[in-house]
Amino acid sequence: MPNSRRPPRSPKIGVFDSGVGGLTVLRALVDRIPDASYLYFGDTARLPYGSKSAATVAHYAVGAVRYLQDQGAELLVIACNTATALALDEIKAAAGVEVIGVVEPGADAAAAASRKRNVVVIGTDATISSHAYRRALEARNVAVREKACPLFVPLVEEGWVEHPVTEQVAEIYLSEAFSDDARDADVLVLGCTHYPLIKPLLRRVAPEHVAIVDSAESTALDVARQLHVELPPSSTRTKNEPSAVRQLKFFATDSAEKFRKMGTRFLGLPVEDVVHVDLKE
Ligand code: DGL
């Protein structure tokens, strides 16, 4: 990593997502690195990214991360699995600071957790068709079954995180995913920002022997490691309350009020300081 790109120890961290889903990654970051300041950009006017082309996603993502840098971000976390999978190279080329995506940390955690070297990854259509997780896992000698689960994002946004319809949809998706060669898979990677919200439901529906890897958690741990932040043992770790967090500032391309309401549910903390941003095409 060139020196000019190395982030300071307690940097201003820019977190980018297509919408509110990336707040699950921000939450994991806040829990691990409460001393940092955070700038979060949700491209709510242009989501979903999961059904768009690589060129469109790259164009949107590059505009958003440039904005975050203009606001003072010294390290960028691409919370959106779709943007990471489709456009990480373009984002890195456009950014003047260190950029961390969610795919590599998720793949690292999955490879470490899989004794059978056989993993199932679920994500949006775009993430799955990009095969970014497949490439990352095969490079770690892990066999992969990829499964697009496009209905999960709208179900989670509807708030149906513990709904019989979501459970039925999960049963169909996961029974297709854990079939044939993947019957033996022992890890399920949540390759989408929205899926941590249905983790308890997925835990019930997935085969019992399967460990769930949340790329939001793995990414936060990776960022903490890169910043040399000391992690308390998980048994003593507590969720940080808003007063313990230095600064959280949000930018949304659609209504700030809507972001505030929906964001609080995804972050599990009050979302207050929201600025509406109009990115010119
Ligand atoms: N943030 C996206 C992801 O993690 C999901 C929502 C969208 O499709 O924009 O893939």
Side-chain angles (χ1 to χ4, degrees):
M1 185 201 312
N3 273 347
S4 59
R5 288 190 165 217
R6 190 169 294 154
R9 252 196 94 154
S10 189
K12 221 175 222 186
I13 302 178
V15 181
F16 165 66
D17 183 47
S18 57
V20 286
L23 293 169
T24 58
V25 178
L26 178 62
R27 179 66 208 230
L29 284 163
V30 162
D31 286 338
R32 300 292 173 278
I33 319 167
D35 291 342
S37 304
Y38 294 93
L39 302 170
Y40 180 95
F41 188 105
D43 197 4
T44 41
R46 304 190 287 197
L47 69 80
Y49 280 16
S51 52
K52 293 195 169 66
S53 70
T56 300
V57 168
H59 174 64
Y60 290 171
V62 165
V65 299
R66 284 203 174 121
Y67 185 87
L68 279 171
Q69 266 187 263
D70 289 346
Q71 298 303 311
E74 297 160 297
L75 164 69
L76 291 168
V77 177
I78 310 305
C80 181
N81 283 258
T82 304
T84 302
L86 273 62
L88 191 64
D89 289 345
E90 286 88 339
I91 295 170
K92 281 186 170 169
V97 297
E98 174 71 359
V99 179
I100 297 171
V102 281
V103 172
E104 290 290 317
D108 270 340
S114 178
R115 269 187 287 163
K116 298 264 172 79
R117 314 308 290 164
N118 196 347
V119 162
V120 167
V121 180
I122 55 175
T124 63
D125 271 325
T127 296
I128 297 307
S129 335
S130 76
H131 301 302
Y133 274 103
R134 173 180 296 281
R135 281 193 299 277
L137 282 157
E138 285 180 351
R140 292 161 174 84
N141 296 316
V142 174
V144 191
R145 160 71 55 84
E146 297 169 293
K147 173 78 187 152
C149 301
L151 291 175
F152 281 158
V153 166
L155 287 167
V156 169
E157 297 215 342
E158 192 60 37
W160 289 15
V161 294
E162 275 300 342
H163 192 286
V165 168
T166 311
E167 187 145 347
Q168 229 176 325
V169 169
E171 270 159 16
I172 296 168
Y173 280 151
L174 295 191
S175 68
E176 284 170 11
F178 287 92
S179 62
D180 308 321
D181 289 352
R183 209 175 284 280
D184 248 11
D186 57 358
V187 170
L188 171 65
V189 179
L190 309 187
C192 175
T193 47
H194 287 57
Y195 302 172
L197 275 92
I198 50 168
K199 196 168 166 185
L201 182 148
L202 294 172
R203 176 62 284 156
R204 289 199 305 275
V205 173
E208 225 171 290
H209 68 278
V210 164
I212 295 185
V213 165
D214 174 350
S215 55
E217 280 292 323
S218 328
T219 303
L221 285 171
D222 204 49
V223 175
R225 248 189 314 258
Q226 293 210 27
L227 295 175
H228 307 290
V229 173
E230 305 247 333
L231 297 172
S234 51
S235 55
T236 60
R237 200 185 298 139
T238 53
K239 295 258 181 212
N240 285 292
E241 289 312 313
S243 57
V245 180
R246 228 174 36 183
Q247 198 197 332
L248 292 175
K249 183 161 186 171
F250 304 90
F251 304 97
T253 52
D254 194 16
S255 145
E257 188 45 40
K258 212 170 137 192
F259 186 93
R260 218 172 274 127
K261 278 201 196 123
M262 201 152 172
T264 301
R265 182 154 61 80
F266 276 76
L267 186 63
L269 293 173
V271 168
E272 276 149 7
D273 190 359
V274 188
V275 175
H276 173 255
V277 173
D278 192 4
L279 283 190
K280 300 281 168 262
E281 285 297 313

